[in-house]
Amino acid sequence: MVQQVTPETTIKVIYPESDGQPMADNTEQFTWIVKIKENLEILFASQADVFIAGDLFWYPVQGNPNIKQAPDTMVVFGRPKGKRGSYLQWDEDNIPPQVVFEILSPGNTLKEMTKKLQFYQRYGVEEYYIYDPAKNDLNGLLRSGDSFEVIEEMNGWASPRLGIRFQLTADTLEIFSPTGQKFLTPVEIDSLREQERQRAEQERQAKEAALEELEKERDRYQELLAKLKQQGIDTDNL
């Protein structure tokens, strides 16, 4: 009798890297996402073990692609920088993002934001910041044990993990690095770079002009010495 052997089959779990939805609902939301993400990249550029991403799917549970979120910005301490199609936590020493940011838009619903809060609370986020540009309203939550506690006063609050400070003005939110540098948009950063280039160019031109004037003074001095010698004056004893 011939024994039939049924080969073992392994079903490969697919973890999608996109849901086909836009990163942002409007230009203001997108501007804030880029501003926070890129300034954090600059802040931690010298630290190889700080991974920062924007709108990247985070899968905390291996084998279940339905459990996921894509924070507008997330920061992971203890993981190397580099390209990723998604953040598969089990491939990242099981380290969850410690800090996440969400920028609200008119399309966000209370149900959606409640689900996000529950997700971040359940899967290990330490600091959760939500900013609504339309209302200029900033809220923050800080982990305490297995749950979040609301940060009562966000104006002037400094992130324990990031060291950045939040300042609410009458019109907008300002964020400052630990050294006091204000978070800027790429256009503002480029403008400062251009100002610095112009300042350096002005200094270069001023230095060249000073050297040129010094050279002229040296030539005039040499001409004067030559005339004095022609008149028989001993310039060595002047």
Side-chain angles (χ1 to χ4, degrees), residues 1-92:
M1 182 175 67
V2 179
Q3 182 179 7
Q4 292 185 342
V5 178
T6 303
E8 293 184 3
T9 58
T10 301
I11 299 176
K12 183 179 179 180
V13 180
I14 303 298
Y15 301 91
E17 297 179 358
S18 172
D19 59 2
Q21 298 298 313
M23 180 177 177
D25 291 341
N26 55 51
T27 56
E28 186 171 28
Q29 184 188 26
F30 182 79
T31 296
W32 272 103
I33 293 171
V34 172
K35 183 177 182 179
I36 292 173
K37 190 265 183 185
E38 292 304 314
N39 278 271
L40 288 174
E41 291 275 19
I42 294 170
L43 180 60
F44 293 102
S46 63
Q47 295 183 226
D49 64 342
V50 179
F51 173 67
I52 300 168
D55 196 43
L56 185 74
F57 271 141
W58 161 28
Y59 293 93
V61 180
Q62 187 173 12
N64 194 334
N66 294 318
I67 300 177
K68 65 182 184 296
Q69 280 294 343
D72 287 335
T73 300
M74 68 181 188
V75 185
V76 191
F77 290 85
R79 297 306 302 155
K81 302 182 188 302
K83 296 180 180 179
R84 291 167 174 80
S86 58
Y87 190 82
L88 307 177
Q89 188 171 312
W90 54 93
D91 287 339
E92 306 282 356

Side-chain angles (χ1 to χ4, degrees), residues 80-118:
K81 302 182 188 302
K83 296 180 180 179
R84 291 167 174 80
S86 58
Y87 190 82
L88 307 177
Q89 188 171 312
W90 54 93
D91 287 339
E92 306 282 356
D93 287 346
N94 205 36
I95 298 176
Q98 292 95 349
V99 185
V100 299
F101 292 82
E102 293 288 354
I103 307 301
L104 298 186
S105 72
N108 292 125
T109 64
L110 177 60
K111 180 180 179 180
E112 174 189 1
M113 298 312 297
T114 300
K115 284 184 176 180
K116 286 187 176 184
L117 188 152
Q118 292 173 340

